[in-house]
Amino acid sequence: MDLFSNLSLGLETAFQWQNVLFCLIGVALGTAVGVLPGIGPTATIAMLLPITFNFDDPTTALIMLAGIYYGAQYGGSTTAILINLPGESSSAVTAIDGHEMARRGRAGVALATAALGSFAAGTVATVVLAVAAPPLAQVALSFGAAEYFALVVLGLVVSIALARGSVLKALAMIMLGILFGAVGQDTYTGQPRFAFGIPELFSGISFVALAVGVFGIAEILRNLRDPQSRGGTISGVSSLWPSRSDFRRMGGPVGRGTVIGSLLGILPGGGHILASFASYAAEKRISKNPGEFGHGAIEGVAGPESANNAAAQTSFIPLLTLGIPSNPVMALMIGAFIIQGITPGPTVIDEQPALVWGLIVSMFIGNALLVALNLPLIGIWVRMLKTPYWILFPTIVILASIGTYAVGLNAYHVLMIAVFGLLGFVLIQCGCEPAPLLLGFVLGPLLEDNFRRAMLISQGDPSTFLTRPLSASLLAVAAAALLVSVLPAMRKKRDLVFVEDD
């Protein structure tokens, strides 16, 4: 079957009334769990997975679950922009400039930028998914353990560009994040590490507790300590729609973010998170006014939001063509396949064409529904800015605590929110940025796992990282990026931006 025949079959499947209905339910749920801090698509899909067993048509179930996933990428930007509390991990970068725009009375523009950029990137990435799935999957197949290790190293080095001020502090935050990611049972031996005899730490530190603490609670503490820092949050909103100048500035970042997200989405290990960080770093590097980043640059919203939504779409490529999950949500999607009696892998496209192409076409429908849902809600979200802070901050704490508790039904995670909130507040007062810490925490376990796998495969020979061309190239780029970051001219520019921000 050629592409047009496949799309015709997908249109016929996706536009069945029950599939459209559950696509709407999925994206609405996704938006909701993205907005609510601490819940996220992984926990939501995990809770709904048993329900899918009762669906007569597996296509309907998968369309709904997919809608929850990419819908959460939309919703996660809302709280990141309005209250500096990322609803989704991939929205952490959006909070850097999105929240600054909100503080300057441009919350409506920031939310519209996120919605429009997400729609454009999601649509283009879905075309990529439909047209180029097999060749892109082959690219992912060429990555072994050494290549994944090198890619993660590159991602961590690039994240230094996200931090203002000292390169040393940025590196320290990355290392701290990696150390936090190492807490828990060793993957190979099962022995607990850095748990200090605390049973609740044997399963590791909760990402939700860490993210909510260092971003949300720390921001609340900073605002309570310095009321002037939240003055912009309750200021009037001048516009709910981007101006012509804003649209001109959005175009390039949306296009570049779409390309970055489409490529990184097919790689295992949270490609949508890495894509948002990489897009932000790229926009900051090529900008003629890098000093604007961190102070409300619209490019800092358009690029990352486009990248994480594009990556969310293309993460389905290894799932549908190889049966390989690229992130925890895709692993749950494989569970949904198995519940329906379908073995995911290269034969699914031939054996279940209506399911695969119906799912792909439903993403076009879902992206359109998300814009239709989110743009009218911008005015409602913006009204949150006028809520008195003495009402807003206890509400944020309550919602964050409920959401965090709901993920693991563990009261210890709520305590961890308070601990990481205090830590985040101290780090901010010391002039450290939490974004590299978060990336180090997310990518640290992947870094360790692929390093150990590569060493096992090479029988302990560390030269394997340099003798493999792709791995050596990625490490060379990482070294070059680190060198550029510590050059005197670059260090002076970073220090200047840091002083201006203070």
Side-chain angles (χ1 to χ4, degrees):
M1 296 177 70
D2 58 23
L3 177 62
F4 292 104
S5 298
N6 289 328
L7 290 176
S8 177
L9 176 62
L11 285 168
E12 181 182 346
T13 304
F15 274 99
Q16 294 176 10
W17 72 267
Q18 68 271 23
N19 290 338
V20 174
L21 173 62
F22 279 96
C23 182
L24 175 61
I25 293 173
V27 297
L29 279 174
T31 300
V33 301
V35 169
L36 293 174
I39 299 179
T42 305
T44 305
I45 291 176
M47 289 185 288
L48 294 178
L49 200 58
I51 299 175
T52 61
F53 183 76
N54 298 318
F55 280 67
D56 294 329
D57 186 355
T59 305
T60 305
L62 293 170
I63 285 174
M64 182 187 73
L65 296 178
I68 292 172
Y69 177 45
Y70 57 81
Q73 308 306 315
Y74 275 74
S77 64
T78 301
T79 47
I81 290 170
L82 295 182
I83 55 177
N84 200 29
L85 185 58
E88 256 292 283
S89 54
S90 56
S91 299
V93 183
T94 305
I96 298 174
D97 281 280
H99 186 59
E100 284 298 318
M101 290 180 68
R103 294 178 62 193
R104 295 166 186 255
R106 305 194 73 212
V109 175
L111 290 170
T113 299
L116 294 173
S118 298
F119 170 73
T123 302
V124 173
T126 304
V127 174
V128 173
L129 172 60
V131 175
L136 286 176
Q138 290 299 320
V139 173
L141 276 177
S142 66
F143 275 65
E147 286 75 17
Y148 280 124
F149 170 80
L151 180 65
V152 174
V153 170
L154 177 59
L156 292 173
V157 171
V158 166
S159 72
I160 296 174
L162 299 178
R164 300 182 292 273
S166 169
V167 174
L168 185 61
K169 289 181 179 179
L171 286 171
M173 289 299 96
I174 290 174
M175 294 304 300
L176 184 60
I178 292 174
L179 287 175
F180 283 150
V183 174
Q185 290 181 314
D186 184 278
T187 306
Y188 291 84
T189 66
Q191 294 295 317
R193 305 179 302 181
F194 308 114
F196 305 104
I198 302 174
E200 289 82 1
L201 290 180
F202 288 179
S203 58
I205 293 174
S206 166
F207 168 81
V208 172
L210 176 68
V212 170
V214 298
F215 280 96
I217 305 303
E219 175 70 10
I220 290 172
L221 293 175
R222 185 177 72 89
N223 287 337
L224 291 175
R225 180 178 183 274
D226 181 14
Q228 296 298 324
S229 67
R230 64 174 184 263
T233 304
I234 57 176
S235 63
V237 178
S238 58
S239 174
L240 296 179
W241 193 253
S243 65
R244 288 185 179 181
S245 174
D246 291 329
F247 275 114
R248 285 195 295 269
R249 294 179 63 180
M250 287 165 53
V254 169
R256 289 184 288 270
T258 300
V259 173
I260 291 172
S262 297
L263 293 175
L264 294 181
I266 65 172
L267 299 176
H272 62 297
I273 301 172
L274 183 59
S276 60
F277 277 83
S279 173
Y280 189 94
E283 294 305 319
K284 186 176 180 181
R285 289 293 185 190
I286 67 177
S287 175
K288 295 180 181 179
N289 300 298
E292 291 185 8
F293 284 77
H295 301 270
I298 195 170
E299 295 88 346
V301 176
E305 280 302 299
S306 301
N308 68 43
N309 278 273
Q313 312 288 333
T314 57
S315 64
F316 284 86
I317 290 175
L319 172 70
L320 296 176
T321 60
L322 302 171
I324 298 174
S326 57
N327 54 54
V329 173
M330 292 300 106
L332 291 172
M333 293 291 287
I334 286 181
F337 272 92
I338 295 173
I339 285 176
Q340 296 293 338
I342 301 170
T343 302
T347 61
V348 171
I349 294 180
D350 295 326
E351 295 177 356
Q352 302 278 348
L355 183 150
V356 172
W357 291 100
L359 177 60
I360 290 174
V361 172
S362 75
M363 294 179 187
F364 290 107
I365 301 172
N367 277 289
L369 290 173
L370 279 167
V371 173
L373 285 172
N374 281 273
L375 288 181
L377 291 175
I378 287 177
I380 296 176
W381 299 129
V382 166
R383 289 193 183 96
M384 291 175 58
L385 300 178
K386 299 181 180 179
T387 304
Y389 205 74
W390 63 271
I391 296 177
L392 186 60
F393 91 80
T395 305
I396 296 171
V397 173
I398 291 172
L399 290 176
S401 300
I402 293 173
T404 305
Y405 178 77
V407 172
L409 298 178
N410 190 339
Y412 191 78
H413 291 168
V414 180
L415 176 62
M416 292 173 70
I417 291 178
V419 173
F420 286 117
L422 290 172
L423 175 63
F425 175 72
V426 171
L427 292 176
I428 291 172
Q429 296 303 309
C430 294
C432 298
E433 289 290 318
L437 183 151
L438 186 68
L439 188 62
F441 179 79
V442 171
L443 296 182
L446 187 65
L447 181 78
E448 178 192 7
D449 184 54
N450 283 291
F451 175 79
R452 295 173 72 173
R453 283 176 53 211
M455 294 297 287
L456 285 172
I457 293 171
S458 65
Q459 298 181 343
D461 182 10
S463 66
T464 185
F465 300 105
L466 301 177
T467 55
R468 297 174 68 94
L470 187 54
S471 172
S473 300
L474 291 170
L475 289 175
V477 173
L482 185 61
L483 180 62
V484 168
S485 296
V486 299
L487 288 176
M490 182 61 65
R491 188 168 64 248
K492 182 178 179 181
K493 184 188 297 184
R494 290 164 60 91
D495 291 339
L496 178 62
V497 171
F498 180 70
V499 170
E500 290 176 350
D501 184 55
D502 290 343

